[in-house]
C-alpha cells in the first residue's frame, strides 16, 4: 500500500473483563452526536455533490456504469462504491435502493435493449438480496444479468454482475472466473480487481490475494481496494498496517456511504482486538455519517455487549434483526437472550436459532451455498450431525481459516477431538487474531488431552477479546478455571 507501514502489530494489552466496565448506552449515543457535530461542516459542502440516491441511479443509467453510484471504470471521477457489491454502502443501507430498482425497471420498459441498465438492475437485485437477507432476489438478478449478456455478449458490466452474484451465493470459483474475464477486457477495472481479491481470500488462496491486492493498489488505489488490502493484512495478523490503511481510506471518503463503510471496518478491526472503546468510537463515526447503517448498528451492539451494556446491546441487535434477519445477527441476538438466563429469554433465543434454519432453507432454495452458516450455527445451537456434514461440504470447496475453524468445531461437538485438532491449528496458522478461533482451539486441545496448550490458547482468547461471544467467553473462563486446578 502506497505510504503505509508494514510493521507487525504489537500485542494487545487489554486484559479487562466485561463485568468490570460500567455500561452506558447514553455514552455511546453521545459519541455519535459528538462526531456528527464535528463532521457537520464538512458534510455541508459534500451535500452539493450528493443529489441523493436517485441521482446516483441516474448516473448509472446514463453513464453505463457497472455499479450504482459509480462512474464507468477508466473515468476520472472517484468511484463511490466501497465494496465488490453492486452499489455504494450508502445506497444499499437505505430505502432508496427499492426506489432505484423501480426507476431502473421503468427505464427498461421504455428501453429494453439497454444492456448496461440490465446489468445495473441485476447488481441492484444482488444488493437488495444481501441487505435485506432475502435470497429470493438472486434468481431475479441472474435473469437480469443474463438479459444484459444476451444483448451484448461478454459485456464488462454483465460479467462484473455475474461475479458479484456468484460471490453473494458463495460460489467463489465462479466469482473468480468472471472477475478474470473482466480483467482480460479491462485490467484496470476496480470492481473486477476487488472481486478477484475477495474470491481469492474466500478460497483460502491468501498469497495470491495479497499479490492481487498489491497490483490493485498500483492500478486503482481507492476505498474499494484499500479496504481489501487492509483485510489481507489483518488475516496475516498485521493489525497495525490494516488500521493505518483503513484510516487512510477514511480520510479520502467523501460520501456518507463510504464514511460509514470504512468506519465500520475500523470498528470491527478494533473489536477483534478487544479495544471496545475505540470500536464504539469508530461505530459512532459510521453512524454519524449514516445513522441507519446496519453493519455499524450490529457492530455497536456487539461492542456494547462486550463492554457489559447488555440492555443496549439487545435493543440494538433487535433493531438489526428486524431489518436484517441473517444468521450472524440472529445467533448474536439469541446468545444475548440466552446469556440473560431467564426462561422467557431462553425461549426467545430458541426462536432466533430457528430463524437461522428458516433462512438457510430459503437461501439454498435460491442457489446460495449456506454450509458455512449452517455449520457454525448448528454446532452450538442446532443439530450437531448436520453441522459436521455442512462443515465437511464447505471444506471440500474451499480451505480458509474460517472453514478450518468451522470444521474443527463441528468435529469437536461430535466428540472427534483428535481429528479436529489439525483443523483448529490450521485456523490459527496465518496469525489472524480471532478470539473465537483461539477459544475453539483451546477447548479442542483440552479435550484431546493437551492441557498446557489448551490453557495457553484459552488465555490468549480472553486476553485478546474477553467479550468475543456472550456464551463462548463465559465457557472459555469456566474451562480455563477448571483446567488450571
Amino acid at each position: 500500500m502506497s505510504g503505509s507501514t508494514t510493521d507487525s502489530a504489537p500485542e494487545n494489552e487489554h486484559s479487562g473483563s466485561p463485568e468490570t466496565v460500567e455500561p452506558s448506552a447514553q455514552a455511546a449515543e453521545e459519541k455519535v452526536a459528538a462526531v456528527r457535530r464535528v463532521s457537520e461542516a464538512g458534510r455541508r459542502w459534500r451535500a452539493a455533490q450528493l443529489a441523493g440516491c436517485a441521482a446516483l441511479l441516474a448516473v448509472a443509467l446514463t453513464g453505463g456504469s457497472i455499479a450504482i453510484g459509480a462512474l464507468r471504470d477508466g473515468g476520472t471521477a472517484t468511484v463511490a462504491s466501497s465494496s465488490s457489491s453492486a452499489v455504494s454502502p450508502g445506497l444499499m443501507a437505505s430505502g432508496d435502493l427499492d426506489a432505484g430498482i423501480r426507476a431502473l425497471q421503468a427505464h427498461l420498459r421504455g428501453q429494453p435493449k439497454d444492456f448496461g441498465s440490465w446489468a445495473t438492475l441485476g447488481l441492484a437485485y444482488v444488493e437488495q438480496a444481501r441487505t435485506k437477507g432475502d435470497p429470493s432476489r438472486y434468481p431475479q438478478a441472474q435473469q437480469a444479468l443474463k438479459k444484459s449478456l444476451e444483448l451484448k455478449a461478454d459485456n464488462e458490466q454483465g460479467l462484473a454482475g455475474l461475479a458479484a452474484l456468484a460471490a453473494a451465493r458463495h460460489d467463489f470459483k465462479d466469482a473468480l472466473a468472471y472477475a478474470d474475464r473482466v480483467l482480460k477486457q479491462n485490467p484496470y477495472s476496480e470492481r473486477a480487481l476487488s472481486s478477484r481479491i475477495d474470491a481469492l481470500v474466500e478460497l483460502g488462496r491468501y498469497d495470491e490475494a495479497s499479490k492481487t491486492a498489491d497490483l490493485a493498489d498500483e492500478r486503482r488505489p481507492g476505498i474499494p481496494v484499500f479496504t481489501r488490502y487492509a483485510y489481507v493484512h489483518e488475516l496475516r495478523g498485521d493489525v497495525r498496517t490494516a488500521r493505518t490503511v483503513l484510516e487512510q481510506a477514511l480520510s479520502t471518503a467523501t460520501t456518507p456511504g463510504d464514511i460509514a463503510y470504512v468506519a465500520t471496518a475500523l470498528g470491527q478491526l478494533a473489536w477483534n482486538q478487544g479495544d471496545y472503546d475505540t470500536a464504539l468510537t469508530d461505530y459512532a463515526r459510521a453512524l454519524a455519517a449514516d445513522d441507519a447503517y446496519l453493519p455499524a448498528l450490529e457492530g455497536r451492539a456487539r461492542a456494547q455487549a462486550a463492554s457489559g451494556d447488555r440492555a443496549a446491546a439487545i435493543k440494538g441487535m433487535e433493531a438489526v434483526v428486524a431489518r436484517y434477519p441473517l444468521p450472524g445477527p440472529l445467533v448474536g441476538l439469541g446468545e444475548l437472550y440466552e446469556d440473560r438466563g431467564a426462561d422467557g429469554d431462553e425461549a426467545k433465543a430458541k426462536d432466533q436459532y430457528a430463524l437461522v434454519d428458516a433462512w438457510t432453507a430459503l437461501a439454498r432454495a435460491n442457489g446460495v451455498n449456506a454450509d458455512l452458516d449452517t455449520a457454525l450455527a448448528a454446532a452450538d445451537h442446532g443439530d450437531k450431525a448436520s453441522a459436521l456434514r455442512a462443515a465437511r461440504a464447505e471444506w471440500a470447496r474451499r480451505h480458509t481459516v474460517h472453514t478450518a475453524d468451522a470444521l474443527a468445531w463441528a468435529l469437536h461437538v461430535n466428540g472427534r477431538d483428535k481429528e479436529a485438532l489439525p483443523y483448529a491449528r490450521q485456523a490459527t496458522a496465518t496469525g489472524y487474531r480471532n478470539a473465537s478461533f483461539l477459544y475453539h482451539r483451546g477447548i479442542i486441545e483440552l479435550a484431546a488431552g493437551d492441557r498446557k496448550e489448551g490453557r495457553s490458547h484459552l488465555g490468549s482468547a480472553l486476553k485478546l477479546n474477553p467479550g468475543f461471544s456472550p456464551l463462548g467467553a463465559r465457557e472459555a473462563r469456566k474451562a480455563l478455571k477448571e483446567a488450571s486446578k
Side-chain angles (χ1 to χ4, degrees):
M1 170 89 198
S2 303
S4 66
T5 179
T6 57
D7 293 340
S8 297
E11 286 295 317
N12 186 280
E13 297 299 326
H14 183 96
S15 58
S17 168
E19 289 83 354
T20 65
V21 180
E22 288 294 328
S24 174
Q26 182 179 0
E29 296 298 335
E30 287 175 351
K31 284 176 181 281
V32 175
V35 175
R36 184 178 285 116
R37 287 195 299 272
V38 171
S39 63
E40 188 62 32
R43 291 176 65 187
R44 289 193 190 100
W45 72 262
R46 292 187 196 117
Q49 299 177 333
L50 303 172
C53 293
L56 293 178
L57 274 168
V59 171
L61 290 168
T62 59
S65 66
I66 63 169
I68 298 172
L71 297 181
R72 185 178 178 83
D73 284 332
T76 58
T78 300
V79 177
S81 175
S82 54
S83 74
S84 65
S85 54
V87 299
S88 69
L91 181 56
M92 75 181 187
S94 72
D96 284 327
L97 178 57
D98 295 340
I101 286 175
R102 290 193 294 271
L104 279 165
Q105 292 169 333
H107 169 83
L108 286 165
R109 282 194 291 270
Q111 299 188 42
K113 294 185 178 181
D114 184 347
F115 70 89
S117 291
W118 279 110
T120 302
L121 180 61
L123 287 161
Y125 281 142
V126 171
E127 284 311 307
Q128 195 175 53
R130 192 172 68 83
T131 58
K132 293 189 174 184
D134 180 9
S136 67
R137 292 295 184 181
Y138 290 136
Q140 291 177 284
Q142 186 167 353
Q143 291 175 4
L145 293 165
K146 179 181 178 182
K147 181 67 174 178
S148 173
L149 290 162
E150 286 175 351
L151 290 167
K152 185 175 181 179
D154 289 337
N155 76 80
E156 185 178 325
Q157 297 100 311
L159 291 175
L162 287 176
L165 176 59
R169 285 173 156 172
H170 298 179
D171 184 354
F172 298 108
K173 287 185 178 180
D174 274 1
L176 179 60
Y178 287 125
D180 284 344
R181 285 172 67 180
V182 174
L183 289 170
K184 285 183 179 179
Q185 295 182 38
N186 178 8
Y188 291 85
S189 168
E190 182 179 61
R191 184 162 299 280
L193 287 165
S194 297
S195 293
R196 191 171 203 277
I197 299 168
D198 290 342
L200 289 169
V201 165
E202 295 298 340
L203 289 169
R205 293 160 61 175
Y206 299 130
D207 289 342
E208 292 176 76
S210 181
K211 291 177 182 178
T212 301
D214 289 338
L215 179 64
D217 185 42
E218 293 175 6
R219 291 181 177 177
R220 291 301 298 270
I223 287 174
V225 171
F226 290 168
T227 52
R228 286 161 176 80
Y229 189 101
Y231 186 55
V232 168
H233 278 268
E234 184 187 358
L235 284 170
R236 296 181 179 277
D238 187 359
V239 175
R240 178 179 296 175
T241 294
R243 187 159 191 95
T244 297
V245 173
L246 288 173
E247 289 284 7
Q248 182 175 338
L250 187 60
S251 72
T252 67
T254 58
T255 70
D258 280 346
I259 294 168
Y261 175 76
V262 181
T264 297
L266 281 162
Q268 178 66 29
L269 183 66
W271 184 85
N272 280 339
Q273 314 313 309
D275 187 352
Y276 308 135
D277 188 62
T278 298
L280 287 168
T281 298
D282 288 329
Y283 291 131
R285 295 158 84 180
L287 294 168
D290 181 354
D291 59 8
Y293 188 51
L294 287 169
L297 291 170
E298 179 184 349
R300 184 176 69 175
R302 293 185 187 278
Q304 288 168 330
S307 299
D309 195 349
R310 187 166 54 190
I314 289 175
K315 181 179 178 181
M317 197 66 83
E318 286 174 338
V320 171
V321 164
R323 296 169 53 199
Y324 197 65
L326 295 183
L330 287 168
V331 169
L333 179 57
E335 291 194 347
L336 285 169
Y337 285 145
E338 196 170 343
D339 190 45
R340 289 202 299 200
D343 291 341
D345 287 330
E346 185 175 346
K348 287 183 178 180
K350 290 180 179 179
D351 288 342
Q352 304 308 308
Y353 305 145
L355 287 173
V356 174
D357 293 336
W359 180 90
T360 299
L362 178 63
R364 286 177 171 161
N366 287 280
V368 179
N369 165 27
D371 282 330
L372 183 58
D373 302 286
T374 298
L376 291 170
D380 285 325
H381 306 295
D383 183 273
K384 294 176 174 56
S386 67
L388 182 54
R389 286 194 299 271
R392 287 196 184 282
E394 193 65 19
W395 181 255
R397 281 186 287 268
R398 54 195 181 109
H399 294 181
T400 71
V401 293
H402 294 88
T403 53
D405 172 70
L407 180 53
W409 196 238
L411 286 164
H412 162 72
V413 299
N414 281 276
R416 303 169 69 167
D417 294 291
K418 294 290 186 181
E419 190 178 349
L421 191 52
Y423 295 107
R425 289 171 175 161
Q426 188 165 342
T428 57
T430 68
Y432 181 42
R433 295 164 60 82
N434 186 298
S436 181
F437 289 9
L438 292 168
Y439 158 64
H440 288 163
R441 178 171 174 173
I443 291 292
I444 291 167
E445 286 169 333
L446 289 179
D450 191 340
R451 292 172 63 85
K452 180 180 179 180
E453 287 297 302
R455 290 195 301 267
S456 174
H457 286 109
L458 288 175
S460 295
L462 292 170
K463 180 180 179 181
L464 175 63
N465 186 355
F468 67 90
S469 161
L471 302 183
R474 185 177 68 190
E475 291 302 313
R477 289 191 292 272
K478 179 181 177 182
L480 183 59
K481 182 178 180 179
E482 293 178 352
S484 300
K485 291 179 180 179

PDB file of all heavy atoms in Angstrom, residues 72-87:
ATOM      1  N   ARG A  72     -18.141   4.927 -14.854  1.00  0.00           N
ATOM      2  CA  ARG A  72     -17.539   3.823 -15.587  1.00  0.00           C
ATOM      3  C   ARG A  72     -16.041   3.738 -15.292  1.00  0.00           C
ATOM      4  O   ARG A  72     -15.358   4.730 -15.185  1.00  0.00           O
ATOM      5  CB  ARG A  72     -17.767   4.011 -17.085  1.00  0.00           C
ATOM      6  CG  ARG A  72     -17.280   2.840 -17.933  1.00  0.00           C
ATOM      7  CD  ARG A  72     -17.588   3.088 -19.396  1.00  0.00           C
ATOM      8  NE  ARG A  72     -17.096   2.006 -20.207  1.00  0.00           N
ATOM      9  CZ  ARG A  72     -17.751   0.869 -20.402  1.00  0.00           C
ATOM     10  NH1 ARG A  72     -18.909   0.684 -19.836  1.00  0.00           N
ATOM     11  NH2 ARG A  72     -17.247  -0.078 -21.161  1.00  0.00           N
ATOM     12  N   ASP A  73     -15.517   2.500 -15.166  1.00  0.00           N
ATOM     13  CA  ASP A  73     -14.085   2.330 -14.971  1.00  0.00           C
ATOM     14  C   ASP A  73     -13.336   3.022 -16.090  1.00  0.00           C
ATOM     15  O   ASP A  73     -13.714   2.966 -17.251  1.00  0.00           O
ATOM     16  CB  ASP A  73     -13.712   0.833 -14.973  1.00  0.00           C
ATOM     17  CG  ASP A  73     -14.087   0.171 -13.673  1.00  0.00           C
ATOM     18  OD1 ASP A  73     -14.116   0.866 -12.649  1.00  0.00           O
ATOM     19  OD2 ASP A  73     -14.339  -1.038 -13.676  1.00  0.00           O
ATOM     20  N   GLY A  74     -12.244   3.651 -15.686  1.00  0.00           N
ATOM     21  CA  GLY A  74     -11.468   4.383 -16.674  1.00  0.00           C
ATOM     22  C   GLY A  74     -11.783   5.853 -16.687  1.00  0.00           C
ATOM     23  O   GLY A  74     -11.075   6.642 -17.304  1.00  0.00           O
ATOM     24  N   GLY A  75     -12.866   6.248 -16.009  1.00  0.00           N
ATOM     25  CA  GLY A  75     -13.223   7.647 -15.923  1.00  0.00           C
ATOM     26  C   GLY A  75     -12.328   8.370 -14.942  1.00  0.00           C
ATOM     27  O   GLY A  75     -11.492   7.775 -14.271  1.00  0.00           O
ATOM     28  N   THR A  76     -12.540   9.646 -14.812  1.00  0.00           N
ATOM     29  CA  THR A  76     -11.684  10.439 -13.943  1.00  0.00           C
ATOM     30  C   THR A  76     -12.267  10.639 -12.558  1.00  0.00           C
ATOM     31  O   THR A  76     -11.575  11.081 -11.655  1.00  0.00           O
ATOM     32  CB  THR A  76     -11.446  11.823 -14.560  1.00  0.00           C
ATOM     33  OG1 THR A  76     -12.713  12.466 -14.750  1.00  0.00           O
ATOM     34  CG2 THR A  76     -10.737  11.707 -15.880  1.00  0.00           C
ATOM     35  N   ALA A  77     -13.528  10.303 -12.367  1.00  0.00           N
ATOM     36  CA  ALA A  77     -14.160  10.526 -11.067  1.00  0.00           C
ATOM     37  C   ALA A  77     -13.860   9.388 -10.114  1.00  0.00           C
ATOM     38  O   ALA A  77     -13.564   8.272 -10.508  1.00  0.00           O
ATOM     39  CB  ALA A  77     -15.672  10.678 -11.234  1.00  0.00           C
ATOM     40  N   THR A  78     -13.957   9.674  -8.839  1.00  0.00           N
ATOM     41  CA  THR A  78     -13.771   8.647  -7.822  1.00  0.00           C
ATOM     42  C   THR A  78     -14.989   7.750  -7.779  1.00  0.00           C
ATOM     43  O   THR A  78     -16.122   8.215  -7.769  1.00  0.00           O
ATOM     44  CB  THR A  78     -13.567   9.295  -6.441  1.00  0.00           C
ATOM     45  OG1 THR A  78     -12.411  10.121  -6.518  1.00  0.00           O
ATOM     46  CG2 THR A  78     -13.377   8.248  -5.378  1.00  0.00           C
ATOM     47  N   VAL A  79     -14.764   6.460  -7.729  1.00  0.00           N
ATOM     48  CA  VAL A  79     -15.868   5.517  -7.648  1.00  0.00           C
ATOM     49  C   VAL A  79     -16.465   5.572  -6.252  1.00  0.00           C
ATOM     50  O   VAL A  79     -15.754   5.513  -5.260  1.00  0.00           O
ATOM     51  CB  VAL A  79     -15.376   4.095  -7.968  1.00  0.00           C
ATOM     52  CG1 VAL A  79     -16.494   3.092  -7.814  1.00  0.00           C
ATOM     53  CG2 VAL A  79     -14.827   4.062  -9.394  1.00  0.00           C
ATOM     54  N   ALA A  80     -17.774   5.675  -6.197  1.00  0.00           N
ATOM     55  CA  ALA A  80     -18.436   5.803  -4.898  1.00  0.00           C
ATOM     56  C   ALA A  80     -18.571   4.476  -4.179  1.00  0.00           C
ATOM     57  O   ALA A  80     -18.638   4.417  -2.976  1.00  0.00           O
ATOM     58  CB  ALA A  80     -19.817   6.425  -5.084  1.00  0.00           C
ATOM     59  N   SER A  81     -18.649   3.400  -4.947  1.00  0.00           N
ATOM     60  CA  SER A  81     -18.825   2.105  -4.312  1.00  0.00           C
ATOM     61  C   SER A  81     -17.603   1.743  -3.493  1.00  0.00           C
ATOM     62  O   SER A  81     -16.484   1.964  -3.899  1.00  0.00           O
ATOM     63  CB  SER A  81     -19.050   1.024  -5.374  1.00  0.00           C
ATOM     64  OG  SER A  81     -19.100  -0.242  -4.788  1.00  0.00           O
ATOM     65  N   SER A  82     -17.843   1.141  -2.346  1.00  0.00           N
ATOM     66  CA  SER A  82     -16.723   0.791  -1.482  1.00  0.00           C
ATOM     67  C   SER A  82     -16.690  -0.683  -1.132  1.00  0.00           C
ATOM     68  O   SER A  82     -16.170  -1.091  -0.123  1.00  0.00           O
ATOM     69  CB  SER A  82     -16.773   1.629  -0.208  1.00  0.00           C
ATOM     70  OG  SER A  82     -18.011   1.513   0.408  1.00  0.00           O
ATOM     71  N   SER A  83     -17.254  -1.498  -1.973  1.00  0.00           N
ATOM     72  CA  SER A  83     -17.110  -2.930  -1.818  1.00  0.00           C
ATOM     73  C   SER A  83     -17.295  -3.556  -3.179  1.00  0.00           C
ATOM     74  O   SER A  83     -17.582  -2.900  -4.163  1.00  0.00           O
ATOM     75  CB  SER A  83     -18.163  -3.481  -0.849  1.00  0.00           C
ATOM     76  OG  SER A  83     -19.426  -3.501  -1.453  1.00  0.00           O
ATOM     77  N   SER A  84     -17.122  -4.874  -3.226  1.00  0.00           N
ATOM     78  CA  SER A  84     -17.298  -5.546  -4.502  1.00  0.00           C
ATOM     79  C   SER A  84     -18.759  -5.756  -4.818  1.00  0.00           C
ATOM     80  O   SER A  84     -19.104  -6.346  -5.822  1.00  0.00           O
ATOM     81  CB  SER A  84     -16.590  -6.905  -4.459  1.00  0.00           C
ATOM     82  OG  SER A  84     -17.208  -7.742  -3.519  1.00  0.00           O
ATOM     83  N   SER A  85     -19.619  -5.288  -3.972  1.00  0.00           N
ATOM     84  CA  SER A  85     -21.041  -5.431  -4.203  1.00  0.00           C
ATOM     85  C   SER A  85     -21.518  -4.430  -5.228  1.00  0.00           C
ATOM     86  O   SER A  85     -20.787  -3.598  -5.719  1.00  0.00           O
ATOM     87  CB  SER A  85     -21.786  -5.255  -2.884  1.00  0.00           C
ATOM     88  OG  SER A  85     -21.431  -4.046  -2.286  1.00  0.00           O
ATOM     89  N   ALA A  86     -22.794  -4.495  -5.548  1.00  0.00           N
ATOM     90  CA  ALA A  86     -23.295  -3.758  -6.691  1.00  0.00           C
ATOM     91  C   ALA A  86     -23.363  -2.266  -6.500  1.00  0.00           C
ATOM     92  O   ALA A  86     -23.138  -1.515  -7.424  1.00  0.00           O
ATOM     93  CB  ALA A  86     -24.699  -4.267  -7.028  1.00  0.00           C
ATOM     94  N   VAL A  87     -23.675  -1.829  -5.304  1.00  0.00           N
ATOM     95  CA  VAL A  87     -23.925  -0.412  -5.117  1.00  0.00           C
ATOM     96  C   VAL A  87     -23.146   0.105  -3.932  1.00  0.00           C
ATOM     97  O   VAL A  87     -22.566  -0.637  -3.164  1.00  0.00           O
ATOM     98  CB  VAL A  87     -25.434  -0.151  -4.896  1.00  0.00           C
ATOM     99  CG1 VAL A  87     -26.246  -0.591  -6.070  1.00  0.00           C
ATOM    100  CG2 VAL A  87     -25.923  -0.823  -3.644  1.00  0.00           C
TER     101      VAL A  87
END
